[in-house]
Amino acid sequence: MRRMVQAMLLTPAPKAKILAIFGIDMRTCHLITGGAGFIGSCHVLRTRAAGVPVVTVDKLTYAGNLDNLCSLANDTKHCFVQGDIGNDELMAHLMRTHQPTAVINFAAESHVDRSILDPDAFVRTNVLGTCALLRVTLDYWYNLPQDHREAFRFLHVSTDEVYGSLCLGDAPFTENTPYAPNSPYSASKAASDHLVRAFHETHGLPVLITNCSNNYGPRQFPEKLIPLIICHALERQTLPIYGKGDYIRDWLHVKDHCEAIDMVLRRGTVGRTYNVGGRAERTNLDVVHSICAALDRLRPHSDGPYAKLMAFVADRPGHDFRYAIDCTRIERELEWKPRHTFDQGIEDTVSWYLDNQAWAERARGGQYRDWIARQYAGYERVGE
Ligand code: NAD
Ligand code: DAU
């Protein structure tokens, strides 16, 4: 083992900041990309709790936050590397050094509204970055001993948005629903899914893909609906609801998503896609009312109910009306089921943000304030 640490010190990773190198055998580890983000960090914490060593690679974009991994600060079986999945040299170096048994790819630009204003960033990471990661992984996998090749997995974390938009009464998305992405974000995720699938068909790389619905829970960056509403409500700011608020999403607690990823990684059929969802469709208005009701119970305000702050604002261009997931395959094949109900999950999430206001304050730095000013500037308050 000492030899391995020395090798890392003698061969510094190209253009990367390695925050920790440990004197333990990291072989059998998982390499998790995007692990400082919302879902990735939940998965890193879960994997470490299960005793599996982890190398986390994250570029630390505005959405990446090392606070999310602070409980692992003294964990000798976790290694954090600041780097880009598109950096071939770095990723090849990390694979050679740590010999992961699985690569789980969470790294992405993930916010639909930002993709409307800056699509190039989404193509760079979600398409080109994923392609580079696949190339490097393929090379690493080819050179593994036979038994390690058989056990190895590349799991790509994707979204239900690749399937497009549903009307009321349409059947939920299955794994056979044709792709019809509508935003630059979902188009870039769709492209990445196709690349992952193509590396399996062309080269036999043992891949798995998960397509999940909207996640919520602790540590979600406050640009997304649920944490944004909680943070705005606590500051007595307007709670912006796009259009008429009748858009529908299917909500899943982030811990349930990570459990599904674990099950797919361990027992999923190679080359397959698994849809993951909460069977919890809600309109955005319902979601915001639930958050306000939870706040009224947990942190009542002398000015009256939080719902008074709600306002309809200009809509998102090309806004997908409804997402709904049919997750029969993962339920039947892997016996996965969500453990959290939406009502309890929202209450717990509101509590988490109340208890972690310092986290939210640090996450919402200057760049965040600039984004909010740009995104919501001049938005009309259309009424309650
Ligand atoms: P997030 O924006 O909170 O986190 C993304 C992380 O990726 C950040 O830590 C960021 O720094 C990192 N990153 C970005 N570009 C990178 C690059 N080039 N190299 C390395 N790291 C990079 O996103 P999230 O909500 O946690 O989503 C994680 C994944 O799950 C994404 O692939 C997303 O498409 C998918 N997903 C999200 C949801 C959801 O509701 N949030 C639902 C389904 C699927
Ligand atoms: O469906 C899975 C996807 O869910 C993930 O792939 C994405 O990474 C994730 O960001 C999420 O996408 P959405 O666009 O559905 O999430 P968002 O939280 O941005 O918005 C949820 C709904 O709330 C959507 O209909 C837009 C609406 N909304 C959002 C914001 C930020 C508002 O009404 N007001 C807002 O201020």
Side-chain angles (χ1 to χ4, degrees):
M1 181 57 229
R2 182 160 295 159
R3 263 204 318 276
M4 191 177 89
V5 171
Q6 275 172 354
M8 283 192 70
L9 292 170
L10 290 171
T11 328
K15 290 188 208 136
K17 201 195 287 177
I18 297 184
L19 295 188
I21 299 171
F22 304 108
I24 49 110
D25 193 345
M26 297 288 282
R27 290 160 207 262
T28 72
C29 79
H30 288 183
L31 193 156
I32 300 181
T33 73
F38 164 49
I39 309 174
S41 61
C42 179
H43 198 75
V44 170
L45 297 176
R46 177 187 170 87
T47 309
R48 283 301 306 120
V52 178
V54 172
V55 176
T56 301
V57 184
D58 196 295
K59 189 176 173 182
L60 295 181
T61 67
Y62 76 90
N65 185 347
L66 276 180
D67 279 359
N68 294 346
L69 300 173
C70 63
S71 61
L72 302 180
N74 298 316
D75 182 343
T76 54
K77 293 190 177 177
H78 177 248
C79 169
F80 178 83
V81 179
Q82 182 177 4
D84 191 320
I85 55 166
N87 181 341
D88 307 31
E89 242 187 298
L90 168 65
M91 298 311 293
H93 173 88
L94 292 174
M95 288 192 203
R96 268 196 315 273
T97 307
H98 295 293
Q99 301 278 303
T101 53
V103 171
I104 301 123
N105 184 31
F106 291 91
E109 291 292 340
S110 70
H111 192 33
V112 173
D113 290 327
R114 287 187 192 251
S115 80
I116 295 166
L117 292 169
D118 180 15
D120 292 20
F122 288 70
V123 173
R124 274 195 298 275
T125 285
N126 301 0
V127 185
L128 299 176
T130 303
C131 189
L133 183 64
L134 283 163
R135 264 195 292 101
V136 168
T137 306
L138 180 66
D139 189 48
Y140 164 73
W141 176 72
Y142 263 144
N143 289 303
L144 285 174
Q146 182 61 27
D147 52 335
H148 290 212
R149 275 172 62 133
E150 275 164 25
F152 181 83
R153 297 288 181 269
F154 180 100
L155 190 148
H156 179 63
V157 180
S158 192
T159 171
D160 59 358
E161 300 199 11
V162 297
Y163 298 121
S165 179
L166 297 169
C167 296
L168 278 178
D170 284 351
F173 304 129
T174 71
E175 288 83 355
N176 296 319
T177 303
Y179 276 29
N182 293 315
S183 72
Y185 162 69
S186 52
S188 68
K189 289 298 287 186
S192 67
D193 292 8
H194 290 319
L195 284 165
V196 173
R197 188 180 162 279
F199 269 68
H200 174 65
E201 294 297 323
T202 308
H203 302 290
L205 187 70
V207 307
L208 297 149
I209 300 176
T210 54
N211 290 91
C212 187
S213 62
N214 284 62
N215 283 213
Y216 68 94
R219 302 181 207 89
Q220 186 168 29
F221 190 72
E223 64 186 351
K224 307 283 168 62
L225 179 70
I226 289 177
L228 182 136
I229 294 296
I230 299 170
C231 293
H232 275 216
L234 291 174
E235 290 177 346
R236 307 301 293 169
Q237 291 184 48
T238 297
L239 311 183
I241 297 166
Y242 296 162
K244 295 196 173 79
D246 52 356
Y247 296 97
I248 295 169
R249 298 290 182 265
D250 168 35
W251 293 95
L252 180 71
H253 195 282
V254 63
K255 285 189 173 172
D256 287 325
H257 184 188
C258 291
E259 182 169 36
I261 289 169
D262 242 2
M263 287 181 162
V264 171
L265 190 63
R266 281 187 284 115
R267 296 195 280 114
T269 303
V270 165
R272 278 210 136 174
T273 284
Y274 291 86
N275 279 357
V276 185
R279 296 194 190 277
E281 287 183 56
R282 298 284 187 283
T283 66
N284 293 340
L285 270 182
D286 288 340
V287 170
V288 176
H289 275 297
S290 299
I291 295 168
C292 290
L295 283 167
D296 288 336
R297 281 190 296 278
L298 298 167
R299 184 69 56 90
H301 197 276
S302 52
D303 283 355
Y306 286 89
K308 281 203 315 195
L309 299 169
M310 285 163 58
F312 295 112
V313 303
D315 210 346
R316 171 186 283 176
H319 200 160
D320 283 338
F321 177 65
R322 173 179 167 235
Y323 306 137
I325 277 277
D326 179 341
C327 45
T328 308
R329 174 179 285 174
I330 190 170
E331 286 174 350
R332 289 219 180 119
E333 277 186 26
L334 307 181
E335 291 172 355
W336 171 87
K337 265 197 187 345
R339 292 175 194 272
H340 297 79
T341 63
F342 181 76
D343 291 342
Q344 189 58 51
I346 279 291
E347 182 101 3
D348 294 350
T349 301
V350 170
S351 288
W352 188 88
Y353 279 89
L354 286 173
D355 293 345
N356 291 277
Q357 288 188 53
W359 176 96
E361 209 33 60
R362 281 194 299 276
R364 297 187 316 151
Q367 263 186 320
Y368 172 85
R369 308 270 172 197
D370 292 348
W371 161 254
I372 293 293
R374 181 175 176 195
Q375 171 66 5
Y376 298 93
Y379 69 124
E380 295 152 73
R381 197 171 159 131
V382 188
E384 283 179 28

